[in-house]
Every structure is written in structure tokens, then in C-alpha cells.
Amino acid sequence: MNDEFRYLLARAARGALDRRAFMGRAAALGVTGAMANTLLASAARAQGPQSGGHLVMGLQGGESTNSLDPALALSQVAFSYLRTTGDTLVNISPEGEIVPRLAEEISASDDAKTWSFKIRSGVEFHNGQTLTAEDCAQTLRRHSDEESQSGALGIMRGLSSIRVDGDVLVLETETPNADLPYLLADYHLVIQPNGGFDDPAAGIFTGAYTWAQNEPGVRHVMEKFANHWDDSVGHYNSVEMLVINDATARNSALQSGQVQMINRVEPRVAGLLARAPGVEIQSTSGRGHYVFIMHCNTAPFDNNDLRLALKYAIDREDMLDKILRGYGSLGNDMPVNQAYPLFDDTIEQRTYDPDLARHHYERSGHDGPVILRTSEVAFPGAVDAAQLFQESAARAGIPIEIIREPGDGYWSETWNVQPFSASYWGGRPVQDQMYSTAYLSSADWNDTRFFNERFDGLLLEARGELDLDRRKALYSEMGTIVRDEGGLICPMFNDFIDAHNAQVAGWEGNPNGEMMNGFAAVQCWQAV
């Protein structure tokens, strides 16, 4: 590294030289783009976080029906504002390690059935109340309540006891569960005073930012919480989240400077947007997947031959190429991929087979069009993906009728309500959590209405299995059951594609979810 490049790197890290100019001059000095990017990111982090400024985010996934009740969070905007204003007991690092948060110490019995979480002292809620272990216990009790409609209900059902011993939260599970701490990082499980029983939508949490304005479906404004316990996060003075569900409007807002970061950049325009002055695309591969979901208990999708016909009728290779444009990988009609620990990569990849699709379609006895509902908010390119599905199915003699639903209300009135629709999942850190959240028969978010006793038994057995080879075999059988009998059509796993301008520093990709797993607002800072 010569002196001129060191000088340029230092200026770029301070924000005195924009990224485009730095990259151009680095190339002239013979430094590859990949190397220059890596060195710049490292140098910017070395400069350290800067305090101050106002962050404006343009986000897809907001609705007029959004609530501040964490149990009811369904889409991306709610995901981001809960991460910004709340704290969970633990987080999960980009490397997949447990990071203590409100629980500062974690221990387990030898059989992994009793877990103890020592709750951090001196933590204050936004209303001035001091956090206690009982608040944590009450939060988990509320999300375990069948009446709560919590998105975390599926993972809470494995708890047999929730109790408090001084400043320690003690959880007991019905069967051994080596992954329990991972489950408690779920974004629904932000801790509330008395668990939220008094007023679940009050918006009172322990996070780095407090609520200033809340206009569901329009904008959300948060201000820095002066008494937050962790001064390593929350660098901006305030954060504003604008709901911009239209992809073109989001991109324009970023390029014009109206916002400083956006989520869900469409793959088809990512390359073009990356060439805009001062814009940086952040693409992170992981566990997110774009899907079409069928309700296995609702006609005509209660017929497995019809479900198999549709699975063989989708040209996933074509969809991967035209929708994700290289920002993803093939899916295999199961919600896990090679990003998960203990994934079995020997399971045969399902491919487009119009003859086999026609065979199963004729066996199903179904007559007439199959109605598929989609929306631009289901996932980036969802409307185009539905049309590709329609075309590939038609070649197999299967008529699909597409109904395009409005974005506002899609997650409350279409997803998990209508029997065949486009959707997405951000994935979960471990297979147990993914399957417990959406495929266990009793899961509240069982959006394919998949009820399979054999699968449920395997999931419970795998949860307590400490022999990793045996556990991998159990997960393999579970994945095969979902693939061959379930209502999930998973053509592709997506990269998380976000973008920000040169005013943002501190970005670190996180395979656990978009926008740094929702933590972009609390972990990034204003570039100097």
C-alpha cells in the first residue's frame, strides 16, 4: 500500500472523499475494487462511531394496521422499529453466536432442560421504571398465551415453566432444548414492563430510542433514549422511518437525499442503483426465502397431488435468473438451506418438470384455474415472479389466475388468510426455530396449515438430541417431509439487498435478516 493510497483511504474513511471518487482513484493506482471496498469498510470502522445527526430510512413493509404490540408484528417496518426501540434477552451475531443483552449471563443444566438467565441490573424502561427479572418472565408468559396471537407463540410452546429466582429468570422446557437461547432472540420478544399485560401497544421498551411519533403506514419517529444502558449503540440523535412501499419511489428517495438508507432493493435495478453517485448497495446472503404458500387444509390445496403439480410446474432456475439476477440461490421447497447448521445437502434438488406436473395435476382431478394472490410488497419482484409461475405452469397444462392485491393490508388480509399467496420469510438462526415458528402443527404462524404428527414428533426429538449426526438426520427427514407433503413452494433463497448513501457509516452485513437484522438504525452512525 503506497502513501498516496493511504492518504486517499484516510480521507474516504473520514467522509472527506466520496466513495465513487475513492474507488476510481484506487483503481488508477492498481487496487482492485474488492480490495478497496474491504479496506475502506475496515478503515471506516476504525474511525469509530460518531454521535449526532438525524437518520431517515425509506422502508417497504409498512401498513396502516401496524401496531406497537410486539406480538402482532408482521412485516418489515414493525421488525425494524422493534429492533430500534426494544431489547431482547439476547441477540445473535452475524457469525451466529449468542450475544448477551438484557440477560448478561446464561447457563444450562446438563440435560439442557433448565436454563438460567441472569438479568442485567440498572436497566431503565422508557417510562423510568427499572427492569426486573419479573418483567422478563411476564413478557415470555404473555407471548406463551394462546390469546396473545403472538408471532413467537410457536417457539414459546416448548416451555413448561417460567419462574424468577431473585435477579435470575429460570426457564424449564418439556424436552431438552440446546437451541433455547437462539429462540429468545426473536424480535417479537422485546421486553416490556410487566410483560405488556397492562398495555401491550404502549411502545414502552428498554431500547436505544424512544417513541416520538407513530403514524402507522406513513412514518415513525424515534428519539435517542438518554438513559439507555448500552452506549455502544444508538449514535443518531433521532431516527425517522418513512413507509415507502413502492420500489421506484424508494430508490428515488435515496438518490435525491430524502432518505439515507432503504431496504428491499429489487435485484433487477441493484446494478443501476449502485452506479448512482454516493449510493452503496449492501447485499448479504443468508436464510431469507421468497415463497408461494398453499393451505394444506383448504380445497383445492388439501390434495397433495395438486400441491406436487404446482411444485413441479415452477421453473425455479428461470425465476432465480430473472427475479434475483444472481442475488440468491435455488430453493427446494423446504425453508432451510446451506446457511443453516446441520443442513443436509444430499436431498435431491427439485427441478422444473412439466410432464410430471401434468401427471400430478391430472391425478388431482382439479378442474378450472388455480387462484394465486400476490402484491408488490410480498417480496421484491413478486408480481413478475407470479407471472413467470403462470407461464411455466401453463406449459404443463395448469391454468393459474393471478389476483394482484393492494400493498396496504396484504399482511393482515391476504397472507395467512387466503389459501394460495406469495410471501417471504427472513429465515431464523437455527432449523429448530424456523420449523417451530412456521411448520409445527400448533405454530401460530403455520401459514401453510401444515399438520403432520410425524413431523411434530421429529421436531421435538431433534430439539433434545445432543448427538449432532443423529440431529442432522432428523432435520433431513423433516425437510424431506415438508418438501414432499407440505404446502411450501420455495423457488429461491434471496440475498438481503439494502442500500445507503455516503452519509451512513458503520454498516455490517448480517445474514440473520435485512437491514443488519433490523439493527441498522442503532448500530450505524453519521459519516463525518
Side-chain angles (χ1 to χ4, degrees), residues 180-416:
L180 182 63
Y182 287 92
L183 307 186
L184 299 179
D186 188 287
Y187 68 94
H188 298 92
L189 301 178
V190 293
I191 303 303
Q192 298 178 269
N194 193 32
F197 277 104
D198 301 325
D199 185 356
I204 298 173
F205 308 114
T206 63
Y209 291 87
T210 64
W211 280 97
Q213 296 181 51
N214 177 40
E215 301 175 54
V218 181
R219 66 195 286 264
H220 307 276
V221 182
M222 291 140 273
E223 297 175 347
K224 186 172 181 176
F225 180 39
N227 295 338
H228 190 241
W229 60 275
D230 182 4
D231 59 9
S232 71
V233 297
H235 310 296
Y236 290 99
N237 290 334
S238 53
V239 173
E240 183 175 0
M241 297 179 184
L242 299 181
V243 177
I244 310 178
N245 285 325
D246 181 79
T248 301
R250 253 190 341 276
N251 295 342
S252 297
L254 179 64
Q255 293 179 75
S256 69
Q258 179 188 2
V259 304
Q260 291 136 291
M261 63 173 67
I262 61 174
N263 69 340
R264 289 197 154 195
V265 175
E266 293 189 334
R268 64 185 177 86
V269 301
L272 181 63
L273 186 61
R275 293 195 291 272
V279 170
E280 185 164 348
I281 296 292
Q282 298 288 353
S283 175
T284 307
S285 60
R287 305 172 183 91
H289 44 292
Y290 296 162
V291 299
F292 300 97
I293 53 174
M294 303 172 282
H295 289 180
C296 297
N297 66 345
T298 305
F301 308 103
D302 54 352
N303 184 311
N304 196 40
D305 274 304
L306 180 61
R307 298 199 298 270
L308 285 171
L310 291 166
K311 291 175 183 179
Y312 283 111
I314 191 167
D315 189 341
R316 58 197 76 218
E317 290 87 355
D318 185 50
M319 197 170 288
L320 178 67
D321 179 57
K322 293 179 178 176
I323 301 299
L324 290 186
R325 307 289 181 97
Y327 291 98
S329 58
L330 286 177
N332 200 20
D333 299 335
M334 61 181 74
V336 297
N337 64 356
Q338 64 275 11
Y340 282 87
L342 306 181
F343 175 72
D344 182 4
D345 58 7
T346 67
I347 298 174
E348 182 181 359
Q349 173 65 52
R350 178 166 285 145
T351 59
Y352 177 51
D353 190 332
D355 292 333
L356 193 52
R358 183 179 291 105
H359 165 74
H360 283 289
Y361 184 67
E362 291 173 352
R363 283 188 53 178
S364 75
H366 181 73
D367 185 31
V370 176
I371 296 175
L372 169 62
R373 299 172 190 272
T374 188
S375 170
E376 70 275 3
V377 304
F379 57 80
V383 175
D384 291 339
Q387 291 171 345
L388 289 175
F389 193 1
Q390 182 184 52
E391 292 167 6
S392 64
R395 293 193 290 272
I398 303 174
I400 292 180
E401 178 185 338
I402 297 172
I403 296 179
R404 184 170 179 174
E405 300 284 3
D408 190 37
Y410 187 79
W411 299 111
S412 56
E413 298 172 18
T414 300
W415 172 77
N416 215 9

